[in-house]
Amino acid sequence: MKFFIDTASVKEIREAASMGILDGVTTNPSLLSKEEGDPTAILKEICTLVDGPVSAEVIALHKDGMVKEAVELSKLHPNIVIKIPLTKPGVQAVRELEEKGIRTNVTLVFSSNQAMLAAKAGASYVSPFIGRLDDSGHVGMDVVREIVAIYGNYGFETEVIVASVRSPLHVIDAALAGAPIVTIPFKVIELMFKHSLTDAGIKRFLEDWEKIKKRS
Ligand code: G3P
C-alpha cells in the first residue's frame, strides 16, 4: 500500500518525507491557496522532495483548456500527475492526455459509476473523496470497496487513491478495502504514530533501566 500526503505545505512534505514512509503527494487549489508564494514554484519544490507522483490540478472547465493547462503543468517535472475533475470534458481530457503519455488523477469522484468512467478513459489514478461523502450522510468507504471490487473484476489498471481522509480509521478502512493508495493529511499521519500504550511502555522501560543503573 502506498502512502501519499495530501498537502501543498513544503514544510509538512519535508517532514513526512524524512519519516521514510512517503510515496507521493496530492495537492489541489484549496491546499495551494493556504500556502504563501507562487503555486508553480511550490509544485516544483515539492517535486524535489518526494520521488513519486505529485498531483497538480487544472482550473479550466473545458476540455481544450484542461489539456492546455495539463501540458504546461506536466513540463514542471516528470513526476507531475494531472488532477482532472470527473466531468464530461474532464473525461475527454483524460483520454487525450493519457494518449499523449501524461498521467492523470481523476478527482472529485463520489460514485462507482464515476470511477468506471475514469477507468474507461484510461486514467492512471482515481480519487474517491471519502470524508466529504461521510459528511453528506453516505458511507464513503462503501464506494471505495465497490471501486476496488469493480476494478478487480475487469482488470482495470487505474489505481484508487483514497482521498478526503479525515482520521486514522479511514486509513485502516482503506487498507482493509484493498485500496492501493491512500492520501493522508499531515495531522492524520501524526495521529497514526500515536498510542498511549507505546508512550507508557517507553516510560516504564526507561524507569526500569534507571533501576539497573542505580544498582551499579
Ligand atoms: O485529496 C482531496 C482532499 O484534499 C479533499 O479533502 O478534507 O477537503 O474533503 P477534504
Side-chain angles (χ1 to χ4, degrees), residues 6 26 28 31 83 129 132 163-164 166 183:
D6 194 31
T26 52
N28 62 39
L31 292 171
K83 249 184 169 180
F129 274 31
R132 292 191 198 183
S164 185
R166 305 275 171 77
T183 188

Side-chain angles (χ1 to χ4, degrees), residues 4 49 118 162 176 208:
F4 291 3
L49 300 175
V162 176
L176 288 171
D208 290 344

Side-chain angles (χ1 to χ4, degrees), residues 5-7 26-28 30-31 34 55 57 83 105 107-108 110 127-133 135 161-166 183-185 187:
I5 188 168
D6 194 31
T7 185
T26 52
T27 71
N28 62 39
S30 303
L31 292 171
K34 292 183 193 162
S55 285
E57 189 158 342
K83 249 184 169 180
N105 170 5
T107 189
L108 291 168
F110 295 93
S127 292
F129 274 31
I130 300 321
R132 292 191 198 183
L133 274 167
D135 291 346
I161 304 178
V162 176
S164 185
V165 161
R166 305 275 171 77
T183 188
I184 319 171
K187 67 172 192 298

